[in-house]
C-alpha cells in the first residue's frame, strides 16, 4: 500500500510545488513508483512536469466532484516511475461545489484509495491556503511535509498550520503525522538564513529534516522547461538536495529497497 504525503503550508512561495515535483521525481529515480497529485488550482505541478493545464480535459476536479476514476485521469510523465493526477483552473470552483456534498472533507481520500495500491508513494501538492481542498489533502494523507523558507518571518503562520493539523487529527484523520519540516531556499552566505535554520531546529528539533534545500538557479529554471530537476540537470546542487531528501524519507519509512543505494543513480 502506497504512503500518501501532503506538502502543505498556507504561506505562498515557500517551495511547496518545487518540493512536490522534485521529491516525487527523486523517489521515482530511486526506483519507487510515485504519483504527484496536483491539488492547487494554479496547476503549477502539472505544468512543472511538462503538461499545459489548458489542455487538461479531466483533472482531480472531476475525480473529487464527479467521482471519475483517477486511473482515467492520470498522465505518465517523462520521468522514470512518475505519474501525475493533474489540475486545471476549474479546481477553484470545487470548494464551492463541495460545500453541500456529504462527506465533503474526504472526497480526495475516496478518490486516492482507488489507486493507492498502484504506487509506493503519492505526493500531494497543496494550495497556499487552508481551504477545503487542503483539508481534503490532509484527510487523505498519512503524513505532511511542511516546507519552511530560510528567510525572515519563516515561522510566521506555522502555528496556524500546526493548529489546523491538530484539528484534523482530532476530528477527521487521527492517523495523520508530521513527516517533517523541510528548510528551503537556504543560502549559507546569509547570516539570516543560518539564524532561521538554528531557530527552526531549536523550536522543532527532531521534526526537522537533516536535508536542507539550497537556493539553486537550476531549480528555478527547470519548471519553465516543463521538467523536474532530475530531467533538467541531475548533477546540480538542487538535484542532489532532493535525492538526499528522498533517501532520508525512504530510510525513515523503512523501505528496504534502500539497499539499492549501492547502485544509486549516476549523477
Amino acid at each position: 500500500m502506497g504512503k500518501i504525503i501532503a506538502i502543505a503550508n498556507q504561506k505562498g512561495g515557500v517551495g511547496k510545488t518545487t518540493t512536490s515535483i522534485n521529491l516525487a521525481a527523486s523517489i521515482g529515480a530511486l526506483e519507487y513508483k510515485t504519483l504527484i497529485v496536483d491539488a492547487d488550482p494554479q496547476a503549477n505541478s502539472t505544468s512543472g512536469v511538462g503538461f499545459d493545464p489548458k489542455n487538461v480535459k479531466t483533472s482531480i476536479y472531476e475525480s473529487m466532484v464527479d467521482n471519475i476514476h483517477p486511473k482515467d485521469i492520470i498522465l505518465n510523465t517523462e520521468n522514470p516511475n512518475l505519474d501525475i493526477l493533474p489540475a486545471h483552473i476549474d479546481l477553484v470552483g470545487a470548494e464551492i461545489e463541495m460545500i453541500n456534498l456529504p462527506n465533503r472533507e474526504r472526497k480526495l481520500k475516496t478518490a486516492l484509495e482507488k489507486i493507492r495500491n498502484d504506487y509506493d508513494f503519492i505526493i500531494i501538492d497543496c494550495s497556499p491556503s487552508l481551504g477545503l481542498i487542503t483539508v481534503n489533502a490532509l484527510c487523505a494523507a498519512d503524513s505532511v511535509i511542511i516546507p519552511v523558507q530560510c528567510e525572515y518571518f519563516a515561522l510566521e503562520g506555522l502555528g496556524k498550520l500546526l493548529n489546523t493539523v491538530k484539528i484534523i487529527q482530532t476530528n477527521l484523520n487521527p492517523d495523520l503525522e508530521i513527516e517533517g519540516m523541510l528548510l528551503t531556499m537556504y543560502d549559507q552566505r546569509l547570516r539570516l538564513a543560518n539564524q532561521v535554520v538554528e531557530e527552526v531546529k531549536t523550536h522543532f528539533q527532531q521534526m526537522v529534516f537533516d536535508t536542507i534545500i539550497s537556493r539553486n538557479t537550476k531549480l528555478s529554471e527547470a519548471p519553465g522547461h516543463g521538467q523536474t530537476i532530475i530531467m533538467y540537470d541531475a548533477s546540480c546542487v538542487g538535484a542532489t538536495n532532493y535525492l538526499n531528501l528522498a533517501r532520508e524519507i525512504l530510510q525513515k519509512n523503512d523501505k528496504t529497497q534502500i539497499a539499492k543505494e549501492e547502485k544509486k543513480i549516476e549523477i
Side-chain angles (χ1 to χ4, degrees):
M1 183 184 288
K3 177 157 192 177
I4 302 176
I5 303 175
I7 315 285
N9 190 330
Q10 77 274 22
K11 279 188 76 173
V14 298
K16 283 188 297 295
T17 298
T18 300
T19 295
S20 298
I21 60 179
N22 293 314
L23 172 59
S26 297
I27 294 172
L30 294 170
E31 299 184 39
Y32 291 85
K33 195 156 172 51
T34 310
L35 175 72
I36 302 170
V37 177
D38 193 347
D40 184 352
Q42 296 176 79
N44 289 334
S45 280
T46 302
S47 59
V49 294
F51 297 100
D52 185 344
K54 292 175 190 160
N55 297 331
V56 171
K57 301 294 182 232
T58 52
S59 72
I60 182 177
Y61 168 86
E62 282 77 16
S63 195
M64 293 170 72
V65 175
D66 300 327
N67 296 318
I68 304 246
H69 200 294
K71 272 188 179 172
D72 299 329
I73 300 167
I74 287 170
L75 303 171
N76 306 116
T77 77
E78 293 179 356
N79 297 261
N81 303 308
L82 183 63
D83 296 339
I84 185 164
L85 185 55
H88 59 55
I89 194 64
D90 282 359
L91 195 55
V92 170
E95 294 204 351
I96 298 164
E97 292 194 37
M98 290 194 302
I99 281 173
N100 296 318
L101 294 178
N103 228 10
R104 64 189 179 186
E105 297 91 355
R106 294 187 173 86
K107 290 295 179 184
L108 184 56
K109 180 180 176 69
T110 301
L112 295 184
E113 287 299 327
K114 298 172 185 173
I115 52 166
R116 187 174 182 135
N117 291 332
D118 298 339
Y119 294 94
D120 296 306
F121 285 91
I122 296 175
I123 307 291
I124 308 175
D125 181 17
C126 297
S127 62
S129 76
L130 294 177
L132 187 53
I133 294 173
T134 299
V135 169
N136 262 267
L138 294 175
C139 283
D142 299 307
S143 64
V144 55
I145 291 174
I146 304 169
V148 181
Q149 65 191 121
C150 296
E151 292 182 359
Y152 198 58
F153 294 137
L155 299 181
E156 188 184 67
L158 266 186
K160 193 174 179 185
L161 176 61
L162 292 171
N163 192 47
T164 300
V165 169
K166 196 173 287 185
I167 290 168
I168 286 175
Q169 287 170 329
T170 304
N171 299 304
L172 295 165
N173 183 4
D175 298 324
L176 181 65
E177 297 177 347
I178 293 176
E179 189 78 21
M181 295 190 174
L182 176 67
L183 290 156
T184 63
M185 304 180 190
Y186 174 66
D187 186 339
Q188 65 179 1
R189 299 167 299 178
L190 301 179
R191 183 187 298 171
L192 175 63
N194 289 299
Q195 286 174 344
V196 170
V197 170
E198 287 306 310
E199 194 174 353
V200 172
K201 286 188 171 180
T202 301
H203 267 76
F204 299 105
Q205 300 176 2
Q206 299 304 314
M207 290 168 65
V208 184
F209 285 109
D210 292 333
T211 303
I212 297 177
I213 309 301
S214 300
R215 276 199 181 277
N216 180 244
T217 306
K218 300 287 187 181
L219 277 176
S220 305
E221 292 172 356
H225 297 270
Q227 292 182 323
T228 65
I229 198 63
I230 298 295
M231 299 299 285
Y232 185 66
D233 186 350
S235 63
C236 74
V237 170
T240 302
N241 288 165
Y242 277 109
L243 282 163
N244 286 339
L245 177 63
R247 292 185 184 111
E248 191 174 343
I249 288 170
L250 291 173
Q251 286 173 325
K252 189 174 181 181
N253 287 280
D254 296 323
K255 290 287 187 181
T256 52
Q257 277 175 275
I258 200 67
K260 285 180 183 171
E261 192 76 5
E262 289 161 25
K263 52 169 197 167
K264 62 189 173 193
I265 67 168
E266 299 287 324
I267 60 168

